[in-house]
Amino acid sequence: MEETMSRIVAKFGGTSVADLDRIRAVAARVKREYDAGHEIAVVVSAMAGVTNDLVDLTRAAHSMHDAREYDVVVSTGEQVTAGLLAICLQEQGIPARSWLGWQVPVRTSDAHAKARIEKIETEEMERRLSDGQVCVLAGFQGIGPDNRITTLGRGGSDTTAVALAAALNADRCDIYTDVDGVYTSDPRIVTRARKLDKITYEEMLEMASLGAKVLQTRSVELAMNHGVPVQVLSSFEDAIGSDLPGTLVVDEEDIVEQEIVSGVTYSRDEAKITLMRVADRPGVAAAIFGPLADANVNVDMIVQNVSEDGTRTDMTFTVTRGDLDRAIEILEARKDELGFTDLVPDADVVKVSVVGVGMRSHAGVAQRMFSSLAERGINIQVISTSEIKISVLIAEEFTELALRALHTVYGLDAA
Ligand code: ADP
Ligand code: ASP
Ligand code: MG
């Protein structure tokens, strides 16, 4: 079938640009799309491992570093790959140039280290695309209202790619990575995970926010809001764009046979805090969670235990692991006011979730999860649910066992 000319944004993640050979392979792939007559803008991540090293360097320099300088440092990985890919494309006879976030510019909020893209001014880039130039944009970075470099949070190149696709009104946004699509669970842990041909924006959004790092949560949100067709595919397989059987992220009505559960995810980025024997009276929850919110500590799951005598109760909740020390400090400082006897922290926990839009119309989904975990002797510490997901907090040592058990019980195992 002959393809008409499309405008494509293609994003290549860290392992896809891990060394010069991989970058050359990316250039060859881009060349094939280019030779087929498409306009193509490429978004690149830093080489695998580089961003981690840069983060470590800023931490080693000072534990309480200035977030604006953190962004200056950690954004540099993408500059290297953007330049190298432009060189490799030129070497293959393709007119290409690199762009850093500020050069476009990709305008963001001022929340350094977790900035949000507000606007991408694509005029110049569009002119060059229609002149037949390939534009290579460094992902993960932008420029804030203070004219300083910002970064978008870990995994942020996905968001750069989707935002660019929306701004350029591209026909598709191809996310090339080291797996060939979105799976029913992390294929590195659940070997029987199945690749999904399609997944709804809504389910992908839940899966991403519940730990499936194949797409950054914000990128899915943007794709959903702007109707950007996103496709996740492997850069390690030798086929291009529309020939590849990756995973398409689509609207719900585009899915014919909907499973009840589409995916099982996990997040190790959790820590549990239990406050023992808090006063059981109105206003106590506000007194606990207010100061945490004021300090930007996000609280996720919460349970308040039944009080034995109607006067005191235990309160358990979760925060991200990185916020645990701060949360402890804030609560200990208010120990007298809150009246708890002990604060018991536990970082050896994991949140396991099952996600599926089919849950809306089926009963008993949660029961199956609970009994399947019980049969394996896995204790559920906290539960939280929404319309299309159920999450449980369990001991971290049971992560693999729980994922595999749930994958099987919901009929997701590959044949
Ligand atoms: P990139 O560097 O290309 O951005 P990431 O490491 O950020 O790649 O994301 C890809 C990884 O996401 C895969 O290697 C896989 O281990 C992990 N992953 C977690 N959950 C899923 C899932 N449900 N489907 C596919 N990959 C998943
Ligand atoms: N290089 C950045 C990171 O490792 C952004 C990305 O890869 O998407 O988080
Ligand atoms: Mg990623």
Side-chain angles (χ1 to χ4, degrees), residues 11-16 45-46 48 155 157-158 175-189 193-194 196 199 204 207 211-216 232-233 235 263-266:
K11 178 257 172 178
F12 294 88
T15 40
S16 306
S45 292
S157 295
D158 297 328
I175 306 282
Y176 287 95
T177 182
D178 56 1
V179 285
D180 59 356
V182 178
Y183 278 70
T184 47
S185 194
D186 187 342
R188 299 195 194 285
I189 295 195
R194 259 191 301 124
L196 298 163
I199 184 164
M204 192 62 241
M207 281 179 64
K213 68 166 184 169
V214 60
L215 288 175
Q216 199 198 33
V232 177
L233 2 108
S235 70
V264 184
T265 63
Y266 69 99

Coordinates of all heavy atoms in Angstrom, one line a residue, residues 11-16 45-46 48 155 157-158 175-189 193-194 196 199 204 207 211-216 232-233 235 263-266, ligand 1:
K11 N 10.3 9.4 18.9 CA 11.1 9.6 20.1 C 11.9 8.3 20.4 O 11.4 7.2 20.3 CB 10.2 9.9 21.3 CG 11.0 10.1 22.6 CD 10.8 8.9 23.5 CE 11.7 8.9 24.7 NZ 11.4 7.8 25.6
F12 N 13.2 8.5 20.7 CA 14.1 7.4 21.0 C 14.6 7.5 22.4 O 15.2 8.5 22.8 CB 15.2 7.3 20.0 CG 14.8 7.0 18.6 CD1 14.4 8.0 17.7 CD2 14.7 5.7 18.1 CE1 13.9 7.7 16.4 CE2 14.2 5.4 16.9 CZ 13.8 6.4 16.0
G13 N 14.3 6.5 23.2 CA 14.7 6.5 24.6 C 16.2 6.1 24.8 O 16.9 5.8 23.9
G14 N 16.6 6.1 26.1 CA 18.0 5.9 26.5 C 18.7 4.7 25.9 O 19.8 4.8 25.3
T15 N 18.1 3.5 25.9 CA 18.8 2.3 25.4 C 18.8 2.3 23.9 O 19.7 1.7 23.3 CB 18.0 1.0 25.9 OG1 16.6 1.3 25.8 CG2 18.4 0.7 27.3
S16 N 17.9 3.1 23.3 CA 17.9 3.2 21.8 C 19.0 4.1 21.3 O 19.3 4.1 20.1 CB 16.5 3.7 21.3 OG 15.5 2.9 21.9
S45 N 16.4 11.0 24.0 CA 16.8 11.0 25.5 C 18.3 11.0 25.5 O 19.0 10.9 24.5 CB 16.3 9.7 26.1 OG 14.9 9.6 26.2
A46 N 18.8 11.1 26.8 CA 20.2 10.9 27.0 C 20.6 9.4 26.8 O 19.7 8.6 26.9 CB 20.6 11.3 28.4
A48 N 21.7 5.8 27.7 CA 21.3 5.0 28.9 C 22.2 5.2 30.0 O 23.4 5.1 29.8 CB 21.2 3.5 28.5
G155 N 12.0 10.4 32.9 CA 11.1 9.9 31.8 C 10.5 10.9 30.9 O 9.6 10.6 30.1
S157 N 11.2 12.7 28.4 CA 11.4 12.8 26.9 C 10.1 12.4 26.2 O 9.8 12.8 25.1 CB 12.5 12.0 26.4 OG 13.7 12.6 26.9
D158 N 9.4 11.4 26.8 CA 8.1 11.0 26.3 C 7.1 12.2 26.1 O 6.4 12.4 25.1 CB 7.4 9.9 27.2 CG 8.2 8.7 27.3 OD1 8.9 8.3 26.3 OD2 8.1 8.0 28.4
I175 N 6.8 6.2 19.8 CA 7.8 6.2 20.9 C 8.6 4.9 20.8 O 8.0 3.8 21.0 CB 7.0 6.1 22.3 CG1 6.0 7.3 22.4 CG2 8.0 6.1 23.4 CD1 6.7 8.7 22.7
Y176 N 9.8 5.0 20.4 CA 10.7 3.8 20.2 C 11.4 3.5 21.5 O 12.0 4.4 22.1 CB 11.7 4.1 19.1 CG 11.2 4.0 17.7 CD1 10.8 5.2 17.1 CD2 11.1 2.8 17.0 CE1 10.3 5.2 15.8 CE2 10.6 2.8 15.7 CZ 10.2 4.0 15.1 OH 9.7 4.0 13.8
T177 N 11.3 2.3 21.9 CA 12.0 1.9 23.2 C 12.6 0.6 23.1 O 12.9 0.1 22.0 CB 11.0 2.1 24.4 OG1 11.6 1.8 25.6 CG2 9.8 1.2 24.2
D178 N 12.9 -0.1 24.3 CA 13.7 -1.3 24.3 C 12.7 -2.5 24.4 O 13.2 -3.7 24.5 CB 14.7 -1.3 25.4 CG 14.2 -1.1 26.7 OD1 12.9 -0.9 26.9 OD2 15.0 -1.0 27.7
V179 N 11.4 -2.3 24.4 CA 10.4 -3.4 24.3 C 9.5 -3.1 23.1 O 9.5 -1.9 22.7 CB 9.6 -3.5 25.6 CG1 10.4 -4.2 26.7 CG2 9.0 -2.2 26.1
D180 N 8.9 -4.1 22.6 CA 8.2 -3.8 21.3 C 6.7 -3.4 21.5 O 5.9 -3.5 20.6 CB 8.3 -5.0 20.4 CG 7.7 -6.3 21.0 OD1 7.3 -6.2 22.1 OD2 7.6 -7.3 20.3
G181 N 6.4 -2.8 22.7 CA 5.0 -2.3 22.9 C 4.7 -2.3 24.4 O 5.6 -2.5 25.2
V182 N 3.4 -2.0 24.6 CA 2.9 -2.0 26.0 C 2.4 -3.4 26.3 O 1.7 -4.0 25.5 CB 1.8 -1.0 26.2 CG1 1.2 -1.0 27.6 CG2 2.2 0.4 25.8
Y183 N 2.9 -4.0 27.4 CA 2.5 -5.3 27.8 C 1.5 -5.3 28.9 O 1.3 -4.3 29.6 CB 3.8 -6.1 28.2 CG 4.6 -6.6 27.1 CD1 5.3 -5.8 26.2 CD2 4.7 -8.0 26.8 CE1 6.0 -6.2 25.1 CE2 5.4 -8.5 25.7 CZ 6.1 -7.6 24.9 OH 6.8 -8.1 23.8
T184 N 0.9 -6.5 29.1 CA 0.0 -6.7 30.2 C 0.6 -6.5 31.6 O -0.1 -6.2 32.6 CB -0.7 -8.0 30.2 OG1 0.4 -9.0 30.0 CG2 -1.7 -8.1 29.0
S185 N 2.0 -6.6 31.7 CA 2.7 -6.3 32.9 C 4.1 -6.1 32.4 O 4.5 -6.4 31.3 CB 2.6 -7.5 33.9 OG 3.0 -7.0 35.2
D186 N 5.0 -5.7 33.4 CA 6.4 -5.4 33.0 C 7.0 -6.7 32.5 O 7.2 -7.7 33.3 CB 7.2 -4.9 34.2 CG 8.6 -4.5 33.8 OD1 9.1 -4.9 32.7 OD2 9.2 -3.7 34.6
P187 N 7.3 -6.8 31.2 CA 7.8 -8.1 30.6 C 9.2 -8.5 31.2 O 9.5 -9.7 31.1 CB 8.0 -7.8 29.1 CG 8.0 -6.3 29.0 CD 7.3 -5.7 30.2
R188 N 9.8 -7.6 31.9 CA 11.1 -8.0 32.6 C 10.9 -8.8 33.8 O 11.8 -9.4 34.3 CB 12.0 -6.8 32.9 CG 12.3 -6.1 31.6 CD 13.4 -5.1 31.7 NE 13.4 -4.2 30.6 CZ 13.9 -4.6 29.4 NH1 14.4 -5.8 29.2 NH2 13.8 -3.8 28.3
I189 N 9.7 -8.7 34.4 CA 9.4 -9.4 35.6 C 8.4 -10.6 35.3 O 8.6 -11.7 35.8 CB 8.8 -8.5 36.7 CG1 9.8 -7.4 37.1 CG2 8.3 -9.3 37.9 CD1 9.5 -6.7 38.3
A193 N 4.0 -12.1 30.3 CA 3.2 -10.9 29.9 C 3.0 -10.9 28.4 O 3.8 -11.4 27.6 CB 4.0 -9.7 30.3
R194 N 1.8 -10.4 28.0 CA 1.5 -10.4 26.5 C 1.5 -9.0 26.0 O 1.1 -8.0 26.7 CB 0.0 -10.8 26.4 CG -0.1 -12.3 26.0 CD -1.6 -12.6 25.6 NE -2.5 -12.4 26.7 CZ -3.6 -11.6 26.6 NH1 -3.8 -10.9 25.5 NH2 -4.4 -11.5 27.6
L196 N 0.1 -5.9 24.1 CA -1.3 -5.4 23.7 C -1.2 -4.8 22.4 O -0.3 -3.9 22.2 CB -1.8 -4.5 24.8 CG -1.9 -5.0 26.2 CD1 -2.0 -3.9 27.3 CD2 -3.1 -6.0 26.3
I199 N -4.4 -0.2 23.5 CA -4.7 0.1 24.9 C -5.4 1.5 24.9 O -5.1 2.4 24.1 CB -3.5 0.1 25.8 CG1 -3.9 0.2 27.3 CG2 -2.4 1.1 25.5 CD1 -2.9 -0.2 28.3
M204 N -3.9 3.4 29.9 CA -2.5 3.7 29.8 C -2.1 4.7 30.8 O -1.1 4.7 31.5 CB -2.1 4.2 28.4 CG -0.6 4.3 28.1 SD 0.2 2.6 28.2 CE 1.4 2.9 29.5
M207 N -2.0 2.9 34.1 CA -0.9 2.1 34.2 C 0.4 2.9 34.4 O 1.3 2.5 35.2 CB -0.8 1.2 33.0 CG -1.7 0.0 33.1 SD -1.7 -1.1 31.7 CE -0.1 -1.8 31.7
G211 N 3.0 2.9 37.9 CA 4.3 2.4 37.9 C 4.9 1.9 36.5 O 6.1 1.6 36.4
A212 N 4.0 1.6 35.5 CA 4.5 1.1 34.2 C 5.3 2.3 33.5 O 4.7 3.1 32.9 CB 3.4 0.6 33.3
K213 N 6.6 2.2 33.6 CA 7.4 3.4 33.2 C 7.6 3.5 31.7 O 8.3 4.3 31.2 CB 8.7 3.5 33.9 CG 9.7 2.4 33.5 CD 11.0 2.7 34.0 CE 12.0 1.7 33.6 NZ 13.4 2.0 33.7
V214 N 6.9 2.6 30.9 CA 7.1 2.6 29.5 C 6.7 4.0 28.9 O 7.3 4.4 27.9 CB 6.4 1.4 28.8 CG1 4.9 1.4 29.1 CG2 6.7 1.3 27.4
L215 N 5.8 4.7 29.5 CA 5.4 6.0 29.1 C 5.3 6.9 30.3 O 4.8 6.5 31.3 CB 4.1 6.1 28.3 CG 4.0 5.5 26.9 CD1 2.6 5.5 26.4 CD2 4.9 6.3 26.0
Q216 N 5.8 8.1 30.2 CA 5.7 9.0 31.4 C 4.2 9.4 31.5 O 3.6 9.7 30.5 CB 6.6 10.3 31.2 CG 6.8 11.0 32.6 CD 7.3 12.4 32.5 OE1 6.9 13.1 31.5 NE2 8.1 12.9 33.4
V232 N 3.7 2.8 20.6 CA 4.9 2.4 21.3 C 5.5 1.2 20.5 O 4.9 0.2 20.2 CB 4.6 1.9 22.7 CG1 5.9 1.4 23.4 CG2 4.0 3.0 23.5
L233 N 6.8 1.3 20.1 CA 7.4 0.3 19.3 C 8.9 0.1 19.7 O 9.5 0.9 20.4 CB 7.3 0.5 17.9 CG 6.7 1.8 17.3 CD1 7.7 2.7 16.7 CD2 5.7 1.3 16.2
S235 N 12.9 -0.1 19.0 CA 13.9 0.4 18.1 C 14.9 -0.7 17.8 O 15.9 -0.5 17.0 CB 14.7 1.6 18.7 OG 15.5 1.1 19.8
G263 N -4.1 -4.8 32.6 CA -2.7 -4.8 33.0 C -2.5 -4.9 34.5 O -3.4 -4.5 35.3
V264 N -1.3 -5.3 34.9 CA -1.0 -5.4 36.3 C 0.3 -4.7 36.5 O 1.3 -4.9 35.7 CB -0.8 -6.9 36.7 CG1 -0.5 -7.0 38.2 CG2 -1.9 -7.8 36.3
T265 N 0.4 -3.7 37.4 CA 1.6 -2.9 37.5 C 2.1 -2.9 38.9 O 1.4 -3.4 39.8 CB 1.3 -1.4 37.1 OG1 0.3 -0.9 38.1 CG2 0.7 -1.3 35.7
Y266 N 3.3 -2.4 39.1 CA 3.8 -2.3 40.5 C 4.6 -1.0 40.6 O 5.1 -0.4 39.6 CB 4.7 -3.4 40.8 CG 6.0 -3.4 40.0 CD1 7.2 -3.0 40.6 CD2 6.0 -3.9 38.7 CE1 8.4 -2.9 39.8 CE2 7.2 -3.9 37.9 CZ 8.4 -3.4 38.5 OH 9.5 -3.3 37.8
Ligands
ADP1 P1 13.1 4.4 27.4 O1 14.6 4.6 27.8 O2 13.0 4.0 26.0 O3 12.3 5.6 27.7 P2 12.1 3.1 29.7 O4 13.1 2.3 30.5 O5 11.7 4.4 30.3 O6 12.6 3.2 28.2 O7 10.7 2.3 29.5 C1 10.7 1.0 28.9 C2 10.7 -0.1 30.1 O8 9.4 0.0 30.7 C3 10.8 -1.5 29.6 O9 12.1 -1.9 29.4 C4 10.0 -2.3 30.6 O10 10.9 -3.0 31.5 C5 9.3 -1.2 31.4 N1 7.9 -1.5 31.6 C6 7.2 -1.5 32.8 N2 5.9 -1.9 32.6 C7 5.8 -2.1 31.3 C8 4.7 -2.6 30.5 N3 3.4 -2.8 31.0 N4 4.8 -2.7 29.2 C9 6.0 -2.5 28.6 N5 7.1 -2.1 29.3 C10 7.0 -1.9 30.6

